[in-house]
Amino acid sequence: MRRLPRAALWLPVLTLSALAVGLTTAQSQGAAPAGDPLAIQAGPPDAKRGEALTQTCQGCHGPMGHSKDEGKPSLGGQVPSYLTLQLAAFRAKLRPSPVMQAIAARLTDQNIVDLAAYYGQQTPRDAWEANAALRAKGQQFYNSGAVERGVTACVVCHGVDGRGNNALHIASITHQSPKYTLEVLHEFKSVPDYHVAYPNAMHIVTAKMTEDELSAVTAYLSSMGTNSMNMAPASK
Ligand code: HEC
Ligand code: HEC
């Protein structure tokens, strides 16, 4: 089943006032207050409490958020601000995924920040295997981009280690399966251009990338953190 582009969530966020009106009419009186559907109001994050809540997540995302299922993202080591935003987006039904929308519907604001704190404190899972030649091309693209086509290097936003930036809501992008990573990049490429530099960053970047470049950066991202010793010679 082809997923709807996740980055579509930004469209309603950018036209927030119009959406808030729509939400209040659709909901029963006295439900969520009108305003930002992604707003979170919670006390200080409690990672210990978050850990207890992961009982319901482990079956799919793995213990400590180390997913073994290539169709389900790893959460271990993801930046908390990104996790918080995604969970709020699922709950507000702005990011598509029937499974995650149903799960997030049961989470309070405090649950969301506690879960995000817990997963943010975990180490990322082991890296995935990659074809060494493809990975080398991906590494080159990751660090240099394609200046002549106006493609900003990934390293500028995601950092040398690919672990993102919590303060800027930039996701950690290492240690996801090649399948999941490539799917996500295709989604970003296919969303409409909202003509806003940020948060539309990933569409702007991927729009001008070729399929070969997408495959190469995917190989690099999913195997980041491994040294060449662990590299499978020719696995896809
Ligand atoms: C039945 C399986 C299942 C369970 C249980 C589940 N998830 Fe998910 N989760 C998924 C799938 C599948 C996706 C990918 C959704 C997509 O983008 O289509 C996902 C995506 C996510 C994402 C987005 C990650 C990213 O990199 O963008 C977060 C955050 C998340 N889940 C958190 C949780 C938390 C927290 C729990 C427990 C409270 C949980 N999930 C329980 C299947 C599950
Ligand atoms: C201008 C800053 C910027 C640049 C440059 C950039 N990114 Fe991103 N990227 C982001 C932000 C912000 C997010 C998270 C927000 C979102 O979902 O749009 C993100 C999200 C992602 C995700 C999704 C993570 C997940 O868990 O679903 C992937 C994969 C990704 N970027 C890969 C790349 C690659 C590969 C490049 C280089 C070709 C790149 N990014 C360049 C800012 C950037």
Side-chain angles (χ1 to χ4, degrees), residues 83-231:
L83 290 171
T84 301
L85 178 65
Q86 299 309 312
L87 287 169
F90 286 128
R91 192 175 62 176
K93 306 213 185 305
L94 293 176
R95 175 167 165 181
S97 170
V99 169
M100 279 311 301
Q101 286 184 359
I103 285 163
R106 297 194 294 264
L107 299 175
T108 64
D109 285 9
Q110 191 66 47
N111 289 350
I112 288 179
V113 298
D114 292 350
L115 281 161
Y118 168 75
Y119 282 124
Q121 287 177 5
Q122 306 312 303
T123 55
R125 56 152 279 152
D126 294 342
W128 299 75
E129 289 187 341
N131 172 287
L134 194 60
R135 181 186 198 272
K137 271 194 212 159
Q139 180 170 19
Q140 158 77 21
F141 195 93
Y142 184 89
N143 290 310
S144 312
V147 185
E148 67 290 354
R149 277 175 285 147
V151 182
T152 310
C154 323
V155 68
V156 171
C157 293
H158 291 283
V160 177
D161 57 4
R163 299 291 307 284
N165 184 314
N166 191 46
L168 298 178
H169 295 232
I170 296 175
S172 168
I173 53 175
T174 64
H175 305 90
Q176 299 295 1
S177 75
K179 178 179 186 280
Y180 183 80
T181 302
L182 191 59
E183 219 171 275
V184 168
L185 292 174
H186 279 142
E187 285 179 13
F188 282 125
K189 190 171 169 148
S190 66
V191 293
D193 193 341
Y194 308 142
H195 304 288
V196 182
Y198 186 95
N200 207 189
M202 281 308 299
H203 173 70
I204 295 167
V205 169
T206 48
K208 294 180 205 131
M209 288 174 70
T210 65
E211 279 307 309
D212 284 353
E213 289 166 346
L214 292 174
S215 303
V217 284
T218 294
Y220 180 56
L221 291 179
S222 53
S223 64
M224 254 171 125
T226 40
N227 53 45
S228 49
M229 305 292 289
N230 309 343
M231 218 52 65

